[in-house]
Amino acid sequence: MDIAEDIDRVFNPEGLLSSVVIDYKYRQEQCDMAKAVSHAIVNKTPLVCEAGTGTGKTFAYLIPAFYYGQKIIVATGTKTLQDQLFDKDIQTVRKALKLPITVAKLKGRANYLCHHQIEKTRSERVFTSVRDVEMFRQFEQMLETSTTGDISEVEGGAGSSSVRASVVSTRDNCLGSDCPYIGDCFVLKARKQALAAEVVVVNHHLFFADLALKKDGFGELLPECDVVIFDEAHQISDVATNFFGESFSTNQTNELLRDIRYGIALLDVDELDLDKPVAAFEKGVRELRLSFEGISGRFEFSSHLKKTQLIDAVQSLLDSMNQLAKALSEIGQINLELQTCIERLNDLALFLRSWIDIDVTGYIRWFEVMGQAVRLHRTPIDVADILNPIIEEGERSWIFTSATLSISGDGSYFTSQLGLSTSSFRSWESPFDYSSNSLLYVPRNMPLPAHRDYHESVIDASIDAVIAANGRCMMLFTSLSAMRFARDKLNEKFQDRDIDIPILLQGDGAKYELLNRFKSLKNAVLIGSHSFWEGVDVRGDGLVLVVIDKLPFSVPDDPITAGRIEHLRSMDKNPFMDYQVPEAIILLKQGAGRLIRDEDDKGVLIICDPRLLTKPYGRKIWQSLPPMRRTQESEEVLQFLRSV
């Protein structure tokens, strides 16, 4: 096996890719990455690849996987990339290599219609609005016509959360192999296709859900594989943290109450009296919610003033849950619906007991209150010890890749997060000419972000650049309040100067709708917060200016951040330099990456935060950004923007 020869045959200027990719250009970085991935797959070793924008990392990992892998899982962070891989990139590689490889795209169960849930919803007649009733009828009709059961087949199917929730299953309410509709189950059919395919494209969440096989009604979710590739790998730590954590919500208990009542209604026992234990459970849920009265937001549990009151409310709810589970268990001819509800009651009770148990270590216990809903969380402080044995076990190759994995060229922060103790780290710079095509501008005389006039100063420092660019600008903020302030202040200044530049604000429509409008208008300002820092791809001269209000440090009183800071302190580490600065660098690199998306793109990145130049840690951040030409001269910025 000559890996170099195989890879060169594909990537060389006259190679296999050139015959199927229009305007194909040979990139040495892409070829080198493909060889590194090939060696990792052949030798069954974990590899971490950082590849700058424009490297072409998708082909660089797909082609070695197709050549040297047998069963392959590719996991992405976003549905957009998942669709692009399945619909476009994989098809191109199959055509180039002339390999008849079978491919499946697998989604989470919440994307597939459930016959049992639709039957239950139909019997309860829960919808009152004409629109919801009509959408539910469309889903009913899909049961007879659809081959996939994918709810995206119904136009606007994702638009009504209440209808959507009523026609799909969850891991809690799925009846698994005991379901009377198992022969028609769309989730099971999709999984069978995935089991038969040689390549399966999933998202990060679905991959990690596969690690909960014992809790899943169908057993193994994803096929056994010998190659796992994580694209957008910078997101994995957060996804794994969420997955390996546990949570309880009052919405869960409300759904459980609904299902218990449905199960009781199916019983053919008139004299059975379950009203009292059901009412006690309902009262326990209500009292738990009332114990959070006057509280809104996210809070760390152990230091909260109402801790004792919350423990008492949880204990009272536990007592009512145990009584209800006991009463249901004593039913002589119990049905499958109620048997599942008993298991759910026991699972929720197990979580609640661990949540109030102060002797359980290694987790951050916190809660969040939003409107009438309460969620209790138990989040692992560190996922490295959990992931390491999973990655180390078995004969399997693990490939992790993203454009933003290193801190000043050092990949150890990422590898330590995931417990990748035996992995090798490789990094390839972007082939784009950043020094000629882009400017990084840090305005002079900016106040520190804590100053009361800071948000206004951000607009003052960037308004001339926005006008010089004739819109074509994204403004990225670290908070929703700053984002809204910017919208209002920009409106004022545009009116004062009689400037007609449209402003699009995150929240005024779905993300994809705003991006499509931004691209079509060609002179708008798109203002967003965290969800727009990554996953936005605007190529060409439709985007020539990106403004970032300040360095994206996590809020120190956020319960997860606070818990990790306290943990690092207990280990005599520096939480700011060892955790908060690296996290900010990764996110800042993502935000900066929105600007230059193609070889001929040109533009200006404005980072308004003076700490980039004045603080000791600013140098590490500075070195981690793309090699743009740097300036503090506003006139240089305006001249550059007027020329693009």
Side-chain angles (χ1 to χ4, degrees), residues 540-588:
D541 59 5
L543 175 64
V544 298
L545 176 62
V546 171
V547 179
I548 294 176
D549 70 331
K550 62 180 179 179
L551 302 178
F553 290 114
S554 54
V555 181
D557 58 359
D558 175 84
I560 295 179
T561 301
R564 287 183 171 159
I565 287 174
E566 184 59 35
H567 175 69
L568 290 169
R569 282 178 181 151
S570 71
M571 299 172 65
D572 294 325
K573 291 187 177 181
N574 183 333
F576 185 70
M577 294 304 298
D578 294 338
Y579 169 53
Q580 290 173 277
V581 168
E583 287 289 310
I585 288 174
I586 297 298
L587 184 52
L588 186 66

Coordinates of all heavy atoms in Angstrom, one line a residue, residues 540-588:
G540 N -17.7 36.1 -1.6 CA -17.7 37.2 -2.6 C -17.8 38.5 -1.9 O -17.6 38.7 -0.7
D541 N -18.2 39.6 -2.7 CA -18.2 40.9 -2.2 C -19.5 41.3 -1.5 O -19.8 42.4 -1.2 CB -18.0 41.9 -3.3 CG -19.0 41.8 -4.5 OD1 -20.0 41.1 -4.3 OD2 -18.9 42.5 -5.5
G542 N -20.4 40.3 -1.2 CA -21.6 40.5 -0.4 C -21.3 40.8 1.1 O -22.1 41.3 1.8
L543 N -20.1 40.4 1.5 CA -19.7 40.6 2.9 C -18.2 41.1 2.9 O -17.3 40.3 2.5 CB -19.8 39.4 3.8 CG -19.3 39.5 5.2 CD1 -20.1 40.5 6.0 CD2 -19.3 38.1 5.9
V544 N -18.0 42.4 3.2 CA -16.6 42.9 3.2 C -16.2 43.5 4.6 O -15.1 44.0 4.7 CB -16.5 44.0 2.1 CG1 -16.7 43.4 0.7 CG2 -17.4 45.2 2.4
L545 N -17.1 43.4 5.5 CA -16.8 44.0 6.8 C -17.4 43.2 8.0 O -18.6 42.9 7.9 CB -17.3 45.5 6.9 CG -17.2 46.2 8.2 CD1 -15.7 46.4 8.6 CD2 -17.9 47.6 8.2
V546 N -16.6 42.8 8.9 CA -17.1 42.2 10.1 C -16.6 43.0 11.3 O -15.4 43.3 11.5 CB -16.5 40.7 10.2 CG1 -16.9 40.1 11.6 CG2 -17.1 39.8 9.1
V547 N -17.6 43.3 12.2 CA -17.3 44.1 13.4 C -17.6 43.2 14.6 O -18.7 42.7 14.7 CB -18.1 45.4 13.5 CG1 -17.8 46.2 14.7 CG2 -17.9 46.3 12.2
I548 N -16.6 43.1 15.5 CA -16.8 42.3 16.7 C -16.7 43.3 17.9 O -15.7 44.1 18.0 CB -15.8 41.2 16.9 CG1 -16.0 40.2 15.8 CG2 -15.8 40.6 18.2 CD1 -15.0 39.1 15.7
D549 N -17.7 43.3 18.8 CA -17.8 44.4 19.8 C -16.7 44.2 20.8 O -16.0 45.2 21.2 CB -19.2 44.5 20.4 CG -19.5 43.3 21.3 OD1 -19.0 42.2 21.0 OD2 -20.3 43.5 22.2
K550 N -16.5 43.0 21.3 CA -15.4 42.8 22.3 C -15.0 41.3 22.4 O -15.6 40.4 21.8 CB -15.9 43.2 23.7 CG -17.1 42.5 24.3 CD -17.5 43.1 25.6 CE -18.7 42.4 26.2 NZ -19.1 42.9 27.5
L551 N -13.9 41.0 23.1 CA -13.4 39.7 23.2 C -14.5 38.8 23.9 O -15.0 39.2 25.0 CB -12.1 39.7 24.1 CG -11.0 40.5 23.5 CD1 -9.8 40.4 24.4 CD2 -10.6 40.0 22.1
P552 N -14.8 37.7 23.4 CA -16.0 36.9 23.9 C -15.7 36.0 25.1 O -15.8 34.8 25.0 CB -16.4 36.1 22.6 CG -15.1 35.8 22.0 CD -14.2 37.1 22.2
F553 N -15.3 36.7 26.2 CA -15.1 35.9 27.4 C -16.5 35.4 27.9 O -17.5 36.2 27.9 CB -14.4 36.8 28.5 CG -13.0 37.1 28.1 CD1 -12.6 38.4 27.9 CD2 -12.1 36.0 28.1 CE1 -11.3 38.6 27.6 CE2 -10.7 36.3 27.8 CZ -10.3 37.6 27.6
S554 N -16.5 34.2 28.5 CA -17.7 33.7 29.1 C -18.0 34.5 30.3 O -17.1 35.0 31.0 CB -17.6 32.2 29.4 OG -16.5 32.0 30.2
V555 N -19.3 34.6 30.6 CA -19.8 35.4 31.8 C -19.4 34.6 33.1 O -19.8 33.4 33.2 CB -21.3 35.6 31.8 CG1 -21.7 36.3 33.0 CG2 -21.7 36.3 30.5
P556 N -18.6 35.1 33.9 CA -18.0 34.4 35.1 C -19.0 33.9 36.1 O -18.8 32.9 36.8 CB -17.0 35.3 35.7 CG -17.4 36.7 35.3 CD -18.0 36.5 33.9
D557 N -20.2 34.5 36.1 CA -21.2 34.0 37.0 C -22.2 33.0 36.4 O -23.2 32.6 37.0 CB -22.0 35.2 37.7 CG -22.7 36.1 36.7 OD1 -22.6 35.8 35.5 OD2 -23.4 37.0 37.1
D558 N -22.0 32.7 35.1 CA -22.7 31.6 34.5 C -22.4 30.3 35.3 O -21.3 30.1 35.7 CB -22.3 31.4 33.1 CG -23.0 30.1 32.4 OD1 -24.1 30.3 32.0 OD2 -22.4 29.1 32.5
P559 N -23.4 29.5 35.7 CA -23.2 28.4 36.6 C -22.2 27.4 36.1 O -21.4 26.9 36.9 CB -24.6 27.7 36.8 CG -25.4 28.3 35.6 CD -24.9 29.6 35.3
I560 N -22.1 27.1 34.8 CA -21.1 26.1 34.4 C -19.7 26.7 34.4 O -18.8 26.1 34.8 CB -21.5 25.6 32.9 CG1 -22.8 24.9 33.0 CG2 -20.4 24.8 32.4 CD1 -23.3 24.4 31.6
T561 N -19.6 28.0 33.9 CA -18.3 28.7 34.0 C -17.9 28.8 35.4 O -16.7 28.5 35.7 CB -18.5 30.1 33.3 OG1 -18.9 29.9 32.0 CG2 -17.1 30.8 33.3
A562 N -18.8 29.2 36.3 CA -18.4 29.4 37.7 C -17.9 28.1 38.3 O -16.9 28.0 39.1 CB -19.6 29.9 38.5
G563 N -18.6 27.0 38.0 CA -18.2 25.7 38.5 C -16.9 25.2 38.0 O -16.1 24.7 38.8
R564 N -16.6 25.5 36.8 CA -15.3 25.1 36.2 C -14.1 26.0 36.8 O -13.0 25.5 37.0 CB -15.3 25.1 34.7 CG -16.1 23.9 34.2 CD -16.1 23.9 32.7 NE -16.8 22.6 32.2 CZ -17.3 22.5 31.0 NH1 -17.3 23.4 30.1 NH2 -17.8 21.3 30.7
I565 N -14.5 27.2 37.0 CA -13.5 28.1 37.6 C -13.1 27.7 39.0 O -11.9 27.6 39.3 CB -14.0 29.6 37.6 CG1 -14.0 30.2 36.2 CG2 -13.2 30.5 38.5 CD1 -14.6 31.5 36.1
E566 N -14.1 27.3 39.7 CA -13.9 26.9 41.1 C -13.1 25.6 41.1 O -12.2 25.3 41.9 CB -15.2 26.7 41.8 CG -15.1 26.3 43.3 CD -14.3 27.3 44.1 OE1 -14.4 28.5 43.8 OE2 -13.6 26.9 45.0
H567 N -13.4 24.7 40.2 CA -12.7 23.4 40.1 C -11.2 23.6 39.8 O -10.3 23.0 40.4 CB -13.3 22.5 39.0 CG -12.6 21.2 38.7 ND1 -12.6 20.2 39.6 CD2 -11.9 20.9 37.6 CE1 -11.8 19.2 39.1 NE2 -11.4 19.6 37.9
L568 N -10.9 24.5 38.8 CA -9.5 24.8 38.5 C -8.8 25.4 39.6 O -7.6 25.1 39.8 CB -9.5 25.7 37.2 CG -9.9 25.0 35.9 CD1 -10.1 26.0 34.8 CD2 -8.9 23.9 35.5
R569 N -9.4 26.3 40.3 CA -8.8 26.9 41.5 C -8.4 25.8 42.5 O -7.4 25.9 43.2 CB -9.7 27.9 42.1 CG -9.8 29.3 41.4 CD -10.7 30.2 42.0 NE -10.8 31.5 41.3 CZ -11.8 32.3 41.2 NH1 -13.0 32.0 41.9 NH2 -11.8 33.4 40.6
S570 N -9.3 24.9 42.7 CA -9.1 23.8 43.7 C -7.9 23.0 43.3 O -7.3 22.3 44.1 CB -10.3 22.9 43.9 OG -10.5 22.1 42.7
M571 N -7.5 23.0 42.0 CA -6.3 22.3 41.5 C -5.1 23.2 41.4 O -4.1 22.8 40.7 CB -6.7 21.7 40.2 CG -7.8 20.7 40.2 SD -8.3 20.1 38.5 CE -6.8 19.2 38.0
D572 N -5.2 24.4 42.0 CA -4.1 25.4 41.9 C -3.7 25.8 40.5 O -2.6 26.1 40.2 CB -2.9 24.8 42.7 CG -3.1 24.7 44.1 OD1 -3.8 25.5 44.7 OD2 -2.5 23.7 44.7
K573 N -4.8 25.8 39.6 CA -4.5 26.3 38.3 C -5.1 27.7 38.1 O -5.8 28.2 39.0 CB -5.2 25.4 37.3 CG -4.6 24.0 37.2 CD -5.2 23.2 36.1 CE -4.5 21.9 35.9 NZ -5.0 21.0 34.8
N574 N -4.7 28.4 37.0 CA -5.2 29.7 36.8 C -6.4 29.7 35.8 O -6.3 29.5 34.6 CB -4.1 30.5 36.1 CG -4.5 32.0 35.8 OD1 -5.7 32.3 35.7 ND2 -3.5 32.9 35.8
P575 N -7.6 29.8 36.4 CA -8.8 29.6 35.5 C -8.9 30.6 34.4 O -9.4 30.2 33.3 CB -10.0 29.9 36.5 CG -9.4 29.7 37.9 CD -8.0 30.1 37.8
F576 N -8.4 31.8 34.5 CA -8.5 32.8 33.5 C -7.6 32.4 32.3 O -8.1 32.3 31.1 CB -8.1 34.1 34.0 CG -8.3 35.2 32.9 CD1 -9.6 35.6 32.6 CD2 -7.2 35.9 32.3 CE1 -9.8 36.6 31.6 CE2 -7.4 36.8 31.4 CZ -8.7 37.2 31.0
M577 N -6.4 32.1 32.5 CA -5.4 31.7 31.5 C -5.6 30.3 31.0 O -5.4 30.0 29.8 CB -4.0 31.9 31.9 CG -3.6 33.4 32.2 SD -3.9 34.5 30.8 CE -2.8 33.8 29.6
D578 N -6.1 29.4 31.8 CA -6.2 28.0 31.5 C -7.5 27.6 30.9 O -7.7 26.5 30.3 CB -5.9 27.1 32.7 CG -4.4 27.2 33.1 OD1 -3.6 27.6 32.4 OD2 -4.2 26.9 34.3
Y579 N -8.5 28.5 31.1 CA -9.9 28.1 30.6 C -10.5 29.3 29.9 O -10.9 29.1 28.7 CB -10.7 27.7 31.8 CG -12.2 27.5 31.6 CD1 -12.7 26.8 30.5 CD2 -13.1 28.2 32.4 CE1 -14.0 26.6 30.3 CE2 -14.5 28.0 32.2 CZ -14.9 27.3 31.1 OH -16.3 27.1 30.9
Q580 N -10.7 30.4 30.5 CA -11.4 31.5 29.9 C -10.8 32.1 28.7 O -11.4 32.4 27.7 CB -11.7 32.6 31.0 CG -12.7 32.2 32.0 CD -12.8 33.2 33.2 OE1 -12.0 33.2 34.1 NE2 -13.8 34.0 33.1
V581 N -9.5 32.3 28.7 CA -8.8 32.9 27.5 C -8.8 31.9 26.4 O -9.2 32.3 25.2 CB -7.3 33.3 27.9 CG1 -6.5 33.5 26.6 CG2 -7.3 34.5 28.8
P582 N -8.5 30.6 26.6 CA -8.6 29.7 25.4 C -10.0 29.6 24.8 O -10.2 29.5 23.6 CB -8.2 28.3 26.0 CG -7.3 28.7 27.2 CD -7.9 29.9 27.7
E583 N -11.0 29.6 25.7 CA -12.4 29.5 25.2 C -12.7 30.8 24.3 O -13.3 30.7 23.3 CB -13.4 29.4 26.3 CG -13.4 28.0 27.0 CD -14.0 27.0 26.1 OE1 -15.1 27.2 25.6 OE2 -13.4 25.9 26.0
A584 N -12.3 31.9 24.8 CA -12.5 33.2 24.1 C -11.8 33.2 22.7 O -12.3 33.7 21.7 CB -12.1 34.4 24.9
I585 N -10.6 32.6 22.7 CA -9.8 32.6 21.5 C -10.5 31.7 20.4 O -10.6 32.1 19.2 CB -8.4 32.1 21.7 CG1 -7.5 33.1 22.5 CG2 -7.7 31.7 20.4 CD1 -6.2 32.6 22.9
I586 N -11.0 30.6 20.8 CA -11.6 29.7 19.8 C -12.9 30.4 19.3 O -13.1 30.4 18.0 CB -12.1 28.4 20.5 CG1 -10.8 27.6 21.0 CG2 -12.9 27.5 19.6 CD1 -9.9 27.2 19.9
L587 N -13.7 31.0 20.1 CA -14.9 31.7 19.6 C -14.5 32.9 18.8 O -15.2 33.2 17.7 CB -15.8 32.1 20.8 CG -17.1 32.7 20.4 CD1 -17.9 31.9 19.4 CD2 -18.0 33.0 21.7
L588 N -13.5 33.7 19.2 CA -13.1 34.8 18.4 C -12.6 34.4 17.0 O -12.9 35.1 16.0 CB -12.0 35.6 19.1 CG -11.6 36.9 18.5 CD1 -12.7 37.9 18.5 CD2 -10.3 37.5 19.2

